[in-house]
Amino acid sequence: MSPLSASPNVLFAARVLAVGVPSPGFRRIVLGGPQLARFAPHGRDQRVKLLVPPDDGYPASLTSGLLEREWRARLRELPADTRPVLRSYTPAAVRPGRGEVDLDVFRHSRPGPASAWAAAARPGDAVLLSGPDVRRGNPGHGVQWDPGPATEVLITGDETALPAVRGILAALPPHHRGRVLVEVGDPADAVGLTDAHPGVTVEVCRRPGRPLLDAVADWAGAHGGAAARLGEHFYAWNATESTRVARVRALLHEAGVAPDRVHAQGYWHDRPRPAAR
């Protein structure tokens, strides 16, 4: 059976209600519509898909209510020049009672399709978003955060991971302990993290200056051995630029942390991007 057969995600039709700047590096797109009353707020680092609108609007074959396996099949049938680009996001907030979803889009210095769309988005713009329908259950779908019995955690990432980091900390039980290391160009993008959880300490690494990899290496040197001895009671989660993910994982493995206690995922690619459409 295809994994998509169990996906609770459906295609939601929405419109941009508002556009804001929650911090220097981000643009907040508030999406709204009556269908979003069924958008399930599963939290943590759950990823949903934004179908970036083509210049000429969405093809007629992509309609609201389609199951994920259905809309993906239709997407594959479209010519490349009319096919919406897919990008993954962790919602910054979901308000089913108001039919609203917030997406915080990081403004890369070399904008990709989603960054360019967010920069130009205006209230009233139509948007298709694939996310969990509360009627379909399966709240673990799309969630990579999987600590099992761990009560000691390490959470690392850059700006693109901040919505997920905030979601994870909001769901973390109060008795858990851990460390967050985040690399940002502007510390204002990490506002609120230091007080997000009573048992978690946060280091905000300023770029340029102290790279995330240096902070992870220092942590591994000082605490990696103890973390390794905790076995299944330790868990590490990392999301950052794709070429740096393997190095984060290697630093933890070199310190003795078992591979199955580390989740590391590339959230973006640092490479030349095609010109915005």
Side-chain angles (χ1 to χ4, degrees):
M1 179 182 295
S2 166
L4 292 180
S5 298
S7 171
N9 293 351
V10 303
L11 209 55
F12 290 94
R15 291 196 177 274
V16 175
L17 296 183
V19 179
V21 181
S23 64
F26 285 86
R27 195 163 173 87
R28 174 165 295 166
I29 311 297
V30 181
L31 303 179
Q35 296 177 14
L36 293 178
R38 301 194 303 271
F39 193 105
H42 294 322
R44 296 161 291 176
D45 62 341
Q46 185 169 30
R47 294 184 301 159
V48 302
K49 292 290 186 183
L50 169 70
L51 281 66
V52 181
D55 289 340
D56 296 331
Y58 291 107
S61 61
L62 296 176
T63 57
S64 62
L66 289 173
L67 301 178
E68 185 167 11
R69 66 176 181 270
E70 295 170 338
W71 68 255
R72 283 184 179 273
R74 295 189 185 190
L75 196 73
R76 290 192 294 269
E77 296 172 352
L78 293 170
D81 60 347
T82 64
R83 185 184 305 146
V85 174
L86 298 182
R87 289 294 183 267
S88 297
Y89 286 94
T90 296
V94 180
R95 296 177 291 278
R98 296 172 57 179
E100 295 179 356
V101 175
D102 293 353
L103 297 181
D104 283 357
V105 180
F106 179 62
R107 300 188 291 180
H108 289 278
S109 58
R110 293 186 293 197
S115 294
W117 166 78
R122 297 292 182 270
D125 290 353
V127 179
L128 288 175
L129 185 70
S130 177
D133 188 321
V134 69
R135 300 171 299 182
R136 293 178 55 79
N138 197 1
H141 182 85
V143 174
Q144 273 66 54
W145 175 258
D146 186 20
T151 56
E152 187 80 22
V153 299
L154 174 68
I155 300 169
T156 64
D158 60 16
E159 292 99 336
T160 62
L162 287 175
V165 172
R166 290 189 171 101
I168 289 168
L169 292 179
L172 200 64
H175 65 280
H176 281 46
R177 298 291 179 268
R179 180 83 166 166
V180 172
L181 305 171
V182 292
E183 178 185 303
V184 298
D186 190 324
D189 287 331
V191 66
L193 276 188
T194 55
D195 300 320
H197 190 282
V200 175
T201 58
V202 177
E203 179 183 351
V204 177
C205 306
R206 180 73 181 269
R207 184 182 61 248
R210 179 164 164 78
L212 178 64
L213 289 178
D214 286 357
V216 173
D218 290 346
W219 183 94
H223 307 288
R229 290 189 291 275
L230 287 173
E232 65 177 5
H233 297 287
F234 172 79
Y235 179 72
W237 181 97
N238 169 259
T240 185
E241 195 277 327
S242 58
T243 62
R244 297 171 194 141
V245 165
R247 186 55 188 149
V248 171
R249 184 188 293 113
L251 286 167
L252 298 177
H253 293 175
E254 290 164 7
V257 178
D260 66 351
R261 305 314 298 156
V262 178
H263 170 78
Q265 184 169 359
Y267 266 19
W268 63 288
H269 305 284
D270 187 13
R271 62 190 181 200
R273 300 176 183 270
R277 294 174 297 174

